[in-house]
């Protein structure tokens, strides 16, 4: 019950993984993901030092998805490097993802410098897209800053690096960002992060406390946006840059469509939050059933082969 995949030169037993931010802050949660049907896990986005994040309540589900304004709560980079070292020691043939970011540009370089000299051998994801840090914009919406950061990062960083992107909504923005990303030896892009600054109301009151109720939207309601971003970047990026599709994955058909749009792996967030790690087994079974029905042996048989109307 596995659907193998590959990112860069790393191989995975299953194309499914968690979305950073959900059930991955502590080692116990990572262990549960490691023991699930998912092909790997990605850590909570780490900062140099531990953060408590925004006030509670900061996560809530609703009929068509979820809203969160967590604000990057995490245990700090040293915690995740040690945890990953332990997982690597126990399963040396398995590859893991480490997510990192910082709130100031110079600290982004500092955290990646620390990862560079560490013993971590997996994939590193630079989160350029958190919409929920109070007073801080999403970096990737500033094309000049994104280009400047990547240029400096790749002047010293030699490990496999991907970036997590926010959703884009205009073809010109897809073009501009792809031009920037194609200039660097990225292993992959992860799209999308939550759709920033939505508002969910119950009765006459917002459902989360931070930012007067504004938060990132995930789940079923963002699927169309996520698929559009996956396919737009699949059309524009060099083939050496893989894509992790994240957003709106509720069943095996959603996984199938992410891959059809060009994703090599698929991240699961809201469904993991609602159903727990068992969702990876059911999603895999549903994906396998679709592939069997259509006669596909591997995901490469249909990845990126979305059909258009004449």
């Amino acid at each position: 019950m596995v659907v193998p995949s590959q990112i860069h030169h790393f191989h995975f037993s299953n194309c499914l993984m968690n979305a950073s931010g959900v059930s991955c802050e502590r080692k116990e949660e990572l262990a549960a993901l490691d023991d699930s049907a998912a092909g790997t896990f990605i850590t909570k986005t780490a900062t140099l030092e531990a953060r408590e994040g925004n006030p509670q309540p900061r996560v809530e589900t609703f009929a068509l998805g979820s809203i969160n304004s967590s604000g990057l709560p995490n245990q700090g980079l040293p915690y995740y490097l040690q945890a990953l070292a332990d997982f690597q020691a126990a399963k040396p043939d398995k590859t893991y993802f480490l997510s990192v970011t910082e709130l100031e540009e110079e600290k982004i370089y500092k955290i990646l410098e620390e990862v560079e000299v560490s013993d971590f051998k997996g994939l590193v994801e630079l989160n350029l897209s958190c919409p929920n840090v109070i007073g801080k914009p999403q970096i990737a919406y500033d094309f000049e800053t994104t280009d400047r950061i990547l240029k400096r990062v790749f002047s010293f960083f030699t490990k496999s690096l991907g970036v997590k992107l926010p959703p884009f909504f205009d073809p010109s923005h897809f073009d501009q960002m792809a031009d920037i990303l194609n200039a660097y030896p990225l292993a992959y892009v992860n799209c999308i992060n939550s759709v920033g600054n939505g508002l969910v109301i119950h009765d006459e009151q917002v459902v989360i406390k931070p930012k007067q109720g504004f938060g990132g939207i995930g789940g079923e309601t963002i699927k169309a946006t996520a698929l559009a971003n996956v396919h737009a970047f699949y059309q524009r990026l060099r083939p050496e840059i893989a894509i992790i599709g994240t957003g709106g994955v509720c069943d095996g058909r959603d996984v199938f469509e992410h891959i059809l749009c060009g994703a090599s792996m698929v991240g699961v967030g809201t469904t993991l939050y609602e159903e727990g790690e068992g969702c990876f087994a059911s999603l895999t079974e549903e994906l396998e059933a679709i592939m069997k029905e259509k006669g596909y042996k591997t995901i490469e048989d249909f990845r990126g082969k979305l059909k258009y109307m004449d």
Side-chain angles (χ1 to χ4, degrees), residues 35-241:
D35 291 337
S36 75
T40 184
F41 67 68
I42 186 169
T43 67
K44 194 78 169 69
T45 298
T47 48
L48 285 165
E49 299 178 351
R51 285 176 52 87
E52 291 186 5
N54 293 339
Q56 302 277 10
R58 58 194 184 195
V59 182
E60 186 61 65
T61 58
F62 59 100
L64 295 178
S66 64
I67 183 170
N68 91 87
S69 184
S70 296
L72 294 176
N74 73 93
Q75 300 300 304
L77 180 64
Y79 178 93
Y80 297 108
L81 287 177
Q82 182 58 59
L84 287 164
D86 294 341
F87 284 110
Q88 286 180 336
K91 298 181 179 180
D93 295 330
K94 192 169 183 178
T95 299
Y96 302 99
F97 288 74
L98 167 66
S99 177
V100 300
T101 198
E102 260 297 345
L103 309 187
E104 299 173 16
E105 185 174 329
E106 288 301 317
K107 288 186 175 181
I108 289 176
Y109 309 131
K110 173 64 175 173
I111 196 168
L112 286 172
E113 286 168 354
E114 294 198 12
V115 175
E116 172 73 9
V117 299
S118 75
D119 293 329
F120 180 63
K121 296 178 175 62
L123 287 144
V124 182
E125 181 168 290
L126 177 58
N127 184 351
L128 298 176
S129 57
C130 180
N132 299 321
V133 178
I134 297 172
K136 296 292 181 179
Q138 296 182 66
I139 295 172
Y141 282 148
D142 185 328
F143 298 117
E144 182 178 336
T145 297
T146 298
D147 192 21
R148 181 175 67 246
I149 288 173
L150 291 177
K151 182 176 182 179
R152 181 162 166 185
V153 165
F154 280 109
S155 72
F156 67 85
F157 198 79
T158 62
K159 298 185 177 184
S160 297
L161 183 73
V163 293
K164 188 165 190 179
L165 298 176
F168 295 96
F169 300 94
D170 191 279
S172 67
H173 294 160
F174 291 129
D175 292 341
Q176 291 177 70
M177 180 54 70
D179 285 345
I180 292 168
L181 299 176
N182 279 329
Y184 300 100
L186 287 164
Y188 72 93
V189 299
N190 189 339
C191 47
I192 56 173
N193 208 331
S194 56
V195 177
N197 297 302
L199 195 64
V200 176
I201 299 168
H202 177 68
D203 194 11
E204 297 182 14
Q205 181 173 288
V206 298
V207 298
I208 57 174
K209 183 175 182 178
K211 296 170 59 178
Q212 295 182 318
F214 287 81
I217 303 297
E220 180 181 354
T221 194
I222 72 165
K223 175 184 164 184
T225 298
L227 294 179
N229 277 255
V230 168
H231 197 57
F233 282 109
Y234 178 77
Q235 292 173 316
R236 290 165 172 81
L237 293 178
R238 293 182 291 106
E240 296 84 3
I241 303 176

